[in-house]
Structure formats: C-alpha cells, structure tokens
Amino acid sequence: MAAKTTPEEATTTSAPAAASPAASPGPPLFRPGLEGVPATQSAICDIDGHRGVLTYRGVPVDQLARNSSFLETAYLLIWGELPTIFQLNDFQHEVQMHRRVSFRIRDMMKCFPASGHPMDALQASAASLGLFYSRRALYDPQYVTEAVVRLIAKIPTMVAAFQLIRKGQDPIQPRDDLAYSANFLYMLTEREPDSLAARIFDSCLILHAEHSLNASTFSARVTASTLTDPYAVVASAVGTLAGPLHGGANEDVLDMLDQIGSIDRVEDWLDQAIASKQKIMGFGHREYRVKDPRAVILQGLAEELFVRFGHDTMYDVARRLEEVAADRLGPKGIYPNVDFYSGLVYRKLGIPRDLFTPIFAIARTAGWLAHWREQLGANRIYRPTQIYTGSAERPWLPLESRPASS
Ligand code: SDX
C-alpha cells in the first residue's frame, strides 16, 4: 500500500495569520500542487511509489497487461470486479454496437483546421457527445451504463476519424469482426493490423487506463462533482491530459530524442539540460521514487516489437539517456515514467506522434469513468479554499485620479 498521509502531515507552508479563517485554530496551510494532500477516498487504484507497484482494484497491472484485454480491464476499473464470461461478452458486444459516431459529429470534425492538434479535436468531439444524449439522469443505472459504453466505444472512433479527415479522407466505419484495439488500428490505417501489433497496442491501453488522482482524473472528479454530464467530465479531462507535464509528454519525448540525435551526444546533452534546469521529458513522477512499473513493461513491449519488425536506433538513444540519467537524476528519485517508452512503441506501430496523447486519452477514459461513478457515489462538490495574497481592500478610483503608471 502507498503511504497514506494525514491532512496534518500533508501541509507544510503556513500562510500569513491575516488569511486565517476565523473558526480554524491556526493559519491555513498551503501545499503547492496539493502534494501529499488527500483530495478524495478511492478504491480504484493504488500506487506504491517506493516499490514500483501499481494495482487496479487490487490486481497488479503487470498481470493485467500480460493476461487481460483492455475492455476487460475497463470493466474491472469501472464496475469494480473482473467480469464473468457472460458480463465480458455483453460489455464487448455493447461497445461494438456503439462504435459509430453520428455523421453530424464527423461533419463538425471536417470543419476543424487540419493543422489543429488531435487532442483539441478530441476534446471538442467528446464534449459534442453531450449534445446528443440527455444529461439529467445521472443516478439512473441505465443512463450510467449507456454513457460508459458510448464513451469507451466512440472515443477511439473519433480519434481515428480526425486522423483521416485531416489527411483529406473520409473516416472509415468500424469493423464489427475486429476486437477493440485491432479495430482502432484498422480505422487509423485502413489496414487490418498484425495480431502481435494489435495485442501490444491493447497492452498499452491497459497500462494507461488508470493512475489514481493524476491531474486529468482530478479534473474529471472536480467536473463530475458539479453533477454535469459524463461527456463534459471526459472532455475536461482530455483538456487536462493534453499538457506537456502530463499526457502530452509522450509526444515531447520523441522530439527530445530526435534533438539528442545519437548515443554519443547523450551525456553532453543531458548535462547541459540539467545545468539549464530543463525538465527531461518522460522522467520524474509525483508518486514514484523508482522507475515507473509501466515504463518497465512498455520497454519490454517495445523490444518485442523490435524483434518482430526491426530495431529502432532511437531506442538506443533512449536507453543511454536512461543510463546516464540514473547517475544524475536517480539520487533525487527521478526515473523514467509511463511516457518515456510508450512513444517508441507507437512509433514502431507507425502511429503519428501527435496521436500519442489521444491514444493515452482512449485508455484513460476507462479510469475517468471509474472515478466519475465513484464520485457520484459519495458526491460533494469540490470547493477548496485559497490563501489570498492580493491587496487589502481599497476604493475604486476615477480614471483621472489614478497614478500615471501602475
Ligand atoms: C504523467 O500523476 C500521474 O499519475 C501522471 C501519469 C498518469 O498516468 O496519469 O503518470 C502520466 O503525466 C507522467 C508524467 C509526464 N510528464 C513528464 O514526463 C514531464 C517531465 N516531468 C516533470 O516535469 C515532473 O517530474 C512531473 C510533472 C511529472 C512531476 O512534477 P512534480 O512532482 O511537481 O515535481 P517538480 O516539478 O516539483 O520537481 C521536483 C524536483 C525539482 O528539482 P528541485 O527544484 O527540487 O531541485 O525534481 C526535479 C525538479 O527540477 N525534476 C526534474 C524532472 N522532474 C522533476 N528534473 C529534471 N527532469 C525532470 N523530468
């Protein structure tokens, strides 16, 4: 189990006494980035950041990546238990039936600029689902089930559709004979994927499906706590995931490896990056003090792909960077995170770089929906407090009385 922190232990920085609420015994305390501050109770996922162990509903993620499918893992996360054969078949069938998106959404996507980032296209498309489905039945189990199925089913279709639309092509329809990941790769490339490629891609989705109260999931829970619809919940989480400090880092890792260029340049590049206080993309994590267990598995998946489809010299640069960084950053507990090797897997699968984060979103939709359900189960609107640092109360001044420069 990850160390649990009490609110008292979690707060370190005292605010000025003037900012203290009247009823509290001392000044309010502030922890930037809410580090170590429990913001919810959750039974979905646990991270042991010192041992490098990650579990979904108690099941170790490496066992899921090896033996499960993404849809089975999504079921586990969202409904709390591994499904029976009947439940799994039913869930797979329902998802398969809801993969198509309305022609109106496809037409809307055709109006998006082709140069726009696919994460922005996905955020807008996910939000647009709320226009099509009623929003006021949040506590109706039927509504919840349908929303879960629709989002899990349609998000990949929308990612693939934008990819074809921006190339000037019409999106292609999902193929009912293909499983979830194989169908996504098919919709993206218009070719039925190799079975190893589809299996490895599915494992990637499992590894990205959930990660406790990361920034996008926190965003999802805050949005959910207002009792808005689940499409808005997912859209707000997609927007949060897009940033380079979060899911967007997977794309930046390959740019960084490109910039380094070759193994012999790694050491100098890293020393210079550290000296200029640059963040090394794909390294560091708020929760882990060791290598992210997902990075370990993703590295193995990349190697499996290289054996089958040929080596990638960019991987040699990545490995050298990890090796050199272990000396420089390891003592601070900074090691590769989930985003470090995922891009190398997707690159070998021929996926364009700016689709890496939308793919993360396809997977994380499962986690967001699990948190949406959990939030609604014991809801209280998120409304933290702040420590005011602005000026004391002062009067409005007419224009002519204001100082010339302020
Ligand atoms: C994801 O939270 C999750 O669970 C997220 C995620 C998920 O599955 O949802 O795991 C997915 O978002 C992975 C992270 C992807 N981001 C990156 O790879 C970007 C690079 N990494 C970071 O910027 C950083 O490590 C974070 C954002 C991941 C974590 O930030 P923290 O916990 O706020 O740490 P920090 O920025 O305050 O850094 C603390 C110290 C600093 O040094 P000091 O000033 O104390 O001397 O560690 C250093 C930082 O400079 N540091 C790094 C570093 N990460 C932290 N130094 C160099 N390179 C880095 N990558």
Side-chain angles (χ1 to χ4, degrees):
M1 285 279 287
K4 302 283 182 269
T5 324
T6 65
E8 289 72 23
E9 288 165 344
T11 49
T12 52
T13 310
S14 295
S20 170
S24 105
L29 298 154
F30 172 51
R31 189 103 194 204
L34 298 181
E35 181 174 0
V37 179
T40 191
Q41 292 185 314
S42 180
I44 299 169
C45 166
D46 193 37
I47 300 167
D48 182 332
H50 292 280
R51 288 196 304 132
V53 177
L54 168 63
T55 56
Y56 296 167
R57 300 281 186 188
V59 184
V61 77
D62 55 312
Q63 293 182 23
L64 291 165
R66 223 180 8 256
N67 304 310
S68 184
S69 66
F70 171 68
L71 283 186
E72 182 184 71
T73 299
Y75 188 103
L76 168 70
L77 286 167
I78 296 166
W79 306 111
E81 293 294 339
L82 284 166
T84 61
I85 287 183
F86 171 76
Q87 289 166 330
L88 182 58
N89 285 343
D90 189 46
F91 186 51
Q92 287 173 163
H93 178 70
E94 286 299 313
V95 168
Q96 182 194 307
M97 299 291 287
H98 286 87
R99 282 169 178 170
R100 285 165 178 74
V101 296
S102 162
F103 72 90
R104 293 199 186 116
I105 293 181
R106 297 200 303 269
D107 286 352
M108 175 189 77
M109 293 171 98
K110 287 177 186 165
C111 299
F112 294 167
S115 58
H117 197 284
M119 277 302 267
D120 294 324
L122 179 60
Q123 189 182 18
S125 316
S128 78
L129 289 173
L131 294 161
F132 293 86
Y133 306 108
S134 72
R135 57 154 57 196
R136 293 277 168 234
L138 290 182
Y139 288 96
D140 174 355
Q142 182 69 19
Y143 173 85
V144 172
T145 304
E146 284 173 9
V148 162
V149 164
R150 282 192 191 113
L151 279 158
I152 297 280
K154 293 184 197 304
I155 295 280
T157 309
M158 296 191 298
V159 172
F162 185 65
Q163 168 63 8
L164 293 198
I165 288 169
R166 69 177 175 165
K167 289 198 296 181
Q169 297 166 231
D170 267 332
I172 54 174
Q173 293 296 339
R175 262 194 33 201
D176 290 344
D177 61 318
L178 294 178
Y180 191 82
S181 286
N183 175 61
F184 171 70
L185 294 172
Y186 163 74
M187 290 190 297
L188 205 59
T189 59
E190 302 173 89
R191 280 194 320 275
E192 194 174 323
D194 169 90
S195 59
L196 176 75
R199 205 242 323 133
I200 286 185
F201 184 83
D202 205 59
S203 299
C204 291
L205 294 187
I206 292 171
L207 293 169
H208 286 84
E210 161 61 9
H211 211 235
S212 79
L213 216 56
N214 59 86
S216 57
T217 300
F218 186 42
S219 162
R221 285 192 84 122
V222 171
T223 308
S225 80
T226 69
L227 302 187
T228 187
D229 66 73
Y231 310 104
V233 168
V234 168
S236 86
V238 169
T240 309
L241 184 69
L245 291 186
H246 193 10
N250 55 13
E251 189 181 331
D252 293 344
V253 166
L254 291 206
D255 294 344
M256 175 184 77
L257 295 175
D258 264 344
Q259 197 196 333
I260 298 171
S262 58
I263 310 183
D264 51 302
R265 293 200 53 220
V266 167
E267 217 164 327
D268 287 349
W269 182 91
L270 184 63
D271 286 338
Q272 216 220 317
I274 291 172
S276 60
K277 300 213 170 301
Q278 190 182 322
K279 289 277 165 65
I280 315 305
M281 289 292 129
F283 278 79
H285 202 282
R286 181 70 65 80
E287 294 288 311
Y288 292 112
R289 290 296 159 262
V290 295
K291 185 171 174 178
D292 185 329
R294 299 166 298 174
V296 175
I297 302 169
L298 284 160
Q299 184 175 3
L301 295 177
E303 286 175 358
E304 252 188 88
L305 283 175
F306 300 149
V307 170
R308 173 74 164 268
F309 300 111
H311 192 68
D312 183 347
T313 52
M314 192 183 258
Y315 176 65
D316 302 330
V317 179
R319 282 196 49 195
R320 178 71 186 139
L321 181 59
E322 179 181 351
E323 200 176 277
V324 178
D327 280 346
R328 315 310 202 250
L329 300 172
K332 290 174 81 176
I334 298 168
Y335 290 98
N337 61 48
V338 67
D339 287 327
F340 191 60
Y341 286 110
S342 62
L344 283 154
V345 173
Y346 300 145
R347 175 176 143 102
K348 197 73 219 174
L349 293 174
I351 296 172
R353 231 172 254 198
D354 60 2
L355 292 186
F356 296 175
T357 320
I359 287 168
F360 193 154
I362 291 173
R364 189 53 60 85
T365 298
W368 295 330
L369 289 169
H371 282 270
W372 170 61
R373 282 198 68 233
E374 190 175 66
Q375 182 64 36
L376 292 188
N379 192 50
R380 190 168 186 210
I381 192 168
Y382 279 94
R383 205 324 181 174
T385 190
Q386 65 167 12
I387 293 162
Y388 178 63
T389 59
S391 65
E393 195 173 321
R394 54 188 175 148
W396 176 84
L397 292 177
L399 265 177
E400 59 278 15
S401 313
R402 292 175 203 168
S405 64
S406 58

